[in-house]
C-alpha cells in the first residue's frame, strides 16, 4: 500500500538539535513542510555524506519553510556523540531523531528488520501532515540534496496551484502543465 497522501502516524521521540535534546512528535511536523530523512546508522560511510549535503543546503530548505528531520535507529545520545566528533556531522543544524525502538522507522515502512536499521528513505510531508513524496534507495546509493530541493519546490508549487502539474526536470520558474483533454497525445 502506498504511503502517498497518507497522514503520518503518531510517534514520540527525542532528537539532538543545536546542542540540546528536544522532544519531537508527529505534531512537530504539522503546520509546515517537512522532510523526514531516514538513514541506516551513525558513524558509517555514505550516511555522513548525505547528512553533510543536507547541512550545506539547510538554509535554503529553511527559507522555503521546510524543516528537515534526520532519523536513524541510533539513540539521541549517539547522535550527539557523532555531532561532537565529526566535522561533517558537526555542521548539522536540523534535528537528528533517535529511534532506538524502530517505531518511527516502521511507521514509514523503511525498517530493515534483519539489521534493525532503516533503509535510505526520504519523505516529504505537507503542512497537513500528509506524505507527498516517497523515495527509498538501496544502502549503497547516496541521495542528493539539490534534487530533493527541486522535488520539494515542485510539491510546494503543485500544492499552491491546484490544476497544475510539474513535468519531468521542472525547475522553479519554468512552465508547468494544466492537464486537460486538449493535452492528451500532444506531449
Amino acid at each position: 500500500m502506498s504511503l502517498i497522501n497518507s497522514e503520518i502516524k503518531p510517534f514520540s521521540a527525542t532528537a539532538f538539535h543545536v546542542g540540546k535534546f528536544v522532544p519531537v512528535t508527529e505534531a512537530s511536523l504539522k503546520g509546515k513542510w517537512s522532510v523526514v530523512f531516514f538513514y541506516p546508522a551513525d558513524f558509517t560511510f555514505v550516511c555522513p555524506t548525505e547528512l553533510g549535503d543536507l547541512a550545506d543546503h539547510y538554509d535554503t530548505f529553511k527559507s522555503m519553510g521546510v524543516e528537515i528531520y534526520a532519523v536513524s535507529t541510533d539513540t539521541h545520545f549517539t547522535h550527539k556523540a557523532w555531532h561532537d566528533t565529526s566535522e561533517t556531522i558537526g555542521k548539522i543544524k536540523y534535528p537528528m531523531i533517535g529511534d532506538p525502538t524502530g517505531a518511527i522507522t516502521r511507521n514509514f515502512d523503511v525498517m530493515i528488520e534483519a539489521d534493525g536499521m532503516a533503509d535510505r528513505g526520504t519523505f516529504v510531508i505537507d503542512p497537513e501532515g500528509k506524505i507527498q513524496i516517497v523515495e527509498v534507495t538501496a544502502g549503497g546509493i547516496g541521495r542528493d540534496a539539490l534534487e530533493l530541493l527541486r522535488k520539494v519546490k515542485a510539491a510546494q508549487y503543485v500544492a499552491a496551484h491546484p490544476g497544475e502539474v510539474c513535468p519531468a526536470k521542472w525547475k522553479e520558474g519554468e512552465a508547468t502543465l494544466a492537464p486537460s483533454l486538449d493535452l492528451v497525445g500532444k506531449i
Side-chain angles (χ1 to χ4, degrees):
M1 183 171 149
S2 175
L3 294 176
I4 295 292
N5 286 317
S6 67
E7 190 159 341
I8 54 173
K9 295 177 183 175
F11 71 87
S12 179
T14 302
F16 177 70
H17 186 216
V18 221
K20 297 180 181 174
F21 295 134
V22 297
V24 180
T25 69
E26 76 285 352
S28 305
L29 280 65
K30 293 184 179 178
K32 62 182 173 296
W33 287 85
S34 301
V35 171
V36 182
F37 197 84
F38 290 90
Y39 64 97
D42 292 358
F43 297 99
T44 55
F45 316 102
V46 176
C47 301
T49 66
E50 295 180 310
L51 297 175
D53 189 28
L54 281 174
D56 291 342
H57 295 92
Y58 183 58
D59 289 341
T60 305
F61 281 99
K62 290 296 283 185
S63 73
M64 296 165 45
V66 179
E67 183 58 85
I68 295 170
Y69 298 90
V71 184
S72 77
T73 55
D74 298 291
T75 67
H76 53 288
F77 300 112
T78 307
H79 293 333
K80 180 191 182 314
W82 197 24
H83 189 274
D84 291 350
T85 58
S86 166
E87 185 178 324
T88 300
I89 300 306
K91 299 185 296 185
I92 293 175
K93 297 178 188 168
Y94 50 82
M96 298 177 72
I97 300 174
D99 185 27
T101 67
I104 305 166
T105 306
R106 285 184 188 91
N107 279 356
F108 284 85
D109 200 26
V110 290
M111 176 62 89
I112 306 167
E113 292 294 343
D115 298 334
M117 295 188 296
D119 273 321
R120 293 190 192 289
T122 309
F123 299 83
V124 176
I125 300 163
D126 69 20
E128 288 76 45
K130 292 188 178 177
I131 298 170
Q132 296 301 315
I133 295 174
V134 175
E135 179 182 54
V136 180
T137 62
I141 303 169
R143 295 161 283 181
D144 183 329
L146 289 176
E147 175 58 9
L148 178 57
L149 271 169
R150 187 195 72 77
K151 290 177 182 179
V152 171
K153 286 178 182 180
Q156 289 179 331
Y157 185 91
V158 168
H161 299 88
E164 293 183 48
V165 296
C166 296
K169 299 183 182 183
W170 177 87
K171 291 190 177 47
E172 188 174 28
E174 292 181 350
T176 59
L177 300 172
S180 69
L181 186 60
D182 296 337
L183 285 183
V184 174
K186 305 260 167 93
I187 297 176

